[in-house]
Amino acid sequence: MTDKDPHLGNGLLPGIITGLLATVAGAAAYGALIAFSGYEIGFAAIGVGLLVGLAMIAVRPTSPVLPPLAAFLSLAGAALGQIAGAVIVWARLSGEDYGTAVTRVLDAFPDAIRSDPMSLLFWVVAAYAGFGFVNRRVKAARAAHDARAASSVPQPDEADRVNYFEPRKQP
């Protein structure tokens, strides 16, 4: 790879890694919040999307793949956090071990989402937040790169310009 390789600094791999780490951290925090409070706080799901988006823009990405990936990771983090919180609450209330609680929560999860579609709304807003942050950063980085590339094109000097509307002096 040379210094002019367009894939060298697009931030794809660091963006994916930080996005995954932020997804896990956000899901764990959201799950802990649900477990300790006993309530599903939808705004915390949006916080997962914000965390994923901010983590991914910290690596200064320019790859157009990252905004949709940020949306997906934000949505997945919000869902995983809600599932983790429900598993902890179920295990605590029923006295069952966590393996059984995971099975019971995953079995009941589709029905719970159908009965409470507000959770889906918060997940979508979380995905939009993650997408929006990263998309804005990628567009700004690409515009700055295009502006630098345009300014590096040599422009003719004033002395080299020919005015075709002035009569030429005859030798």
Side-chain angles (χ1 to χ4, degrees):
M1 292 201 293
T2 65
D3 290 338
K4 304 253 182 210
D5 188 8
H7 300 292
L8 188 61
N10 66 4
L12 182 61
L13 185 60
I16 291 171
I17 291 170
T18 58
L20 286 171
L21 291 174
T23 300
V24 170
Y30 185 34
L33 179 69
I34 291 171
F36 291 122
S37 70
Y39 297 103
E40 292 177 13
I41 302 169
F43 290 109
I46 297 170
V48 173
L50 293 174
L51 180 67
V52 170
L54 289 173
M56 289 178 81
I57 66 170
V59 297
R60 302 182 184 275
T62 59
S63 175
V65 172
L66 290 176
L69 183 64
F72 173 74
L73 291 175
S74 299
L75 186 78
L80 287 174
Q82 191 166 348
I83 291 170
V87 165
I88 294 170
V89 168
W90 183 273
R92 191 180 324 144
L93 293 177
S94 69
E96 296 177 343
D97 63 305
Y98 286 104
T100 306
V102 167
T103 304
R104 293 195 189 270
V105 166
L106 289 179
D107 287 343
F109 198 69
D111 295 330
I113 294 301
R114 269 188 238 112
S115 68
D116 181 27
M118 285 300 286
S119 295
L120 290 176
L121 175 66
F122 283 111
W123 295 358
V124 169
V125 173
Y128 180 75
F131 177 86
F133 274 117
V134 178
N135 191 44
R136 192 172 304 121
R137 171 65 184 122
V138 167
K139 281 185 177 181
R142 287 185 165 264
H145 176 25
D146 291 345
R148 280 193 307 272
S151 68
S152 67
V153 175
Q155 301 293 326
D157 291 336
E158 289 292 325
D160 294 340
R161 291 191 182 166
V162 176
N163 188 349
Y164 293 106
F165 296 103
E166 252 181 44
R168 279 197 259 171
K169 295 181 184 174
Q170 296 295 326

